[in-house]
Amino acid sequence: MVNHNVNHKNIELINSLKNKEKIKILFVCLGNICRSPAAEGIMRQLVERRGLEYRITIDSAGVSGWHAGELPDRRMRSHGADHGYDFNSRSRQFTTDDFRRFDHILVMDDENMADITAMARNEDERNSVMMLTDFLRRHNGYATVPDPYYGGDHGFELVIELLEDACEGLLDHIIRQHRLDDYL
């Protein structure tokens, strides 16, 4: 059945957004099974809530390829589900091609920063890498997003809390930087 109550102005806006170049965000952690897929899932939900999925693409990767092709850690998926998230991306390893493919590369800790910036071939690529914690608003005491892999439930909950805070700050930064206010 066809909905004849479609707002043509909304259709025009959606079509114009589809034709614009997307802003591409990549989250990186060590293995791409805890922090970065959670950041990807949280950011995806925030972007969809603001109606910007036609303007922003989100992905995640790991410094290592140990878990390539795997779903996120079952504990991270479980804690994410408790908060209404679906962390279902498949792990992959970061490659130097990602510098070309993504506008914003966000890392979780100092080791990730050192590993990814060491792969950069020039200053522009190095400058595209940022600490996700730079965008925290309510958790200013954290310089990194700690790896919850070897810890208990509290570690996974803390990571989700930090990622929600940082992803909100990052999205607001991207909206300002890329002048996306007109699309909200």
Side-chain angles (χ1 to χ4, degrees):
M1 182 169 162
V2 177
N3 180 355
H4 294 285
N5 295 322
V6 175
N7 181 334
H8 294 287
K9 188 170 182 151
N10 286 342
I11 291 173
E12 289 174 16
L13 177 61
I14 289 169
N15 287 334
S16 72
L17 291 175
K18 286 180 182 177
N19 294 328
K20 292 192 182 289
E21 187 161 335
K22 288 189 170 191
I23 298 153
K24 298 169 197 83
I25 303 168
L26 181 67
F27 296 101
V28 179
C29 69
L30 179 59
N32 193 214
I33 59 167
C34 290
R35 297 170 291 173
S36 59
E40 176 186 354
I42 290 167
M43 182 61 102
R44 188 175 315 283
Q45 192 172 97
L46 290 171
V47 165
E48 288 172 1
R49 278 189 200 149
R50 296 213 192 168
L52 292 170
E53 61 270 20
Y54 295 107
R55 291 288 291 132
I56 299 174
T57 298
I58 305 143
D59 195 7
S60 64
V63 172
S64 78
W66 298 325
H67 301 285
E70 294 179 17
L71 285 169
D73 182 281
R74 65 172 176 72
R75 298 165 295 173
M76 184 54 81
R77 289 194 324 261
S78 176
H79 284 274
D82 290 346
H83 291 268
Y85 300 111
D86 182 14
F87 302 151
N88 63 7
S89 59
R90 295 286 177 164
S91 178
R92 71 174 185 85
Q93 187 171 13
F94 182 88
T95 68
T96 55
D97 191 45
D98 288 327
F99 286 115
R100 181 187 56 76
R101 293 179 50 223
F102 291 92
D103 305 303
H104 305 280
I105 300 171
L106 289 302
V107 297
M108 304 294 154
D109 61 37
D110 295 328
E111 288 180 20
N112 302 154
M113 177 66 87
D115 291 336
I116 298 303
T117 56
M119 295 172 70
R121 296 163 291 205
N122 58 53
E123 197 63 28
D124 286 340
E125 289 181 352
R126 269 186 291 286
N127 290 336
S128 70
V129 184
M130 299 172 283
M131 291 289 287
L132 183 57
T133 52
D134 289 347
F135 298 94
L136 287 170
R137 294 174 169 175
R138 297 178 305 276
H139 298 85
N140 295 328
Y142 289 88
T144 65
V145 177
D147 191 342
Y149 187 79
Y150 293 106
D153 288 340
H154 173 72
F156 288 92
E157 287 297 317
L158 174 63
V159 166
I160 289 173
E161 193 175 310
L162 293 173
L163 293 176
E164 287 174 333
D165 184 5
C167 285
E168 288 170 5
L170 173 62
L171 183 55
D172 286 343
H173 169 78
I174 288 170
I175 288 169
R176 283 189 310 275
Q177 180 184 22
H178 295 276
R179 295 185 173 96
L180 299 179
D181 293 13
D182 295 342
Y183 302 107
L184 299 175

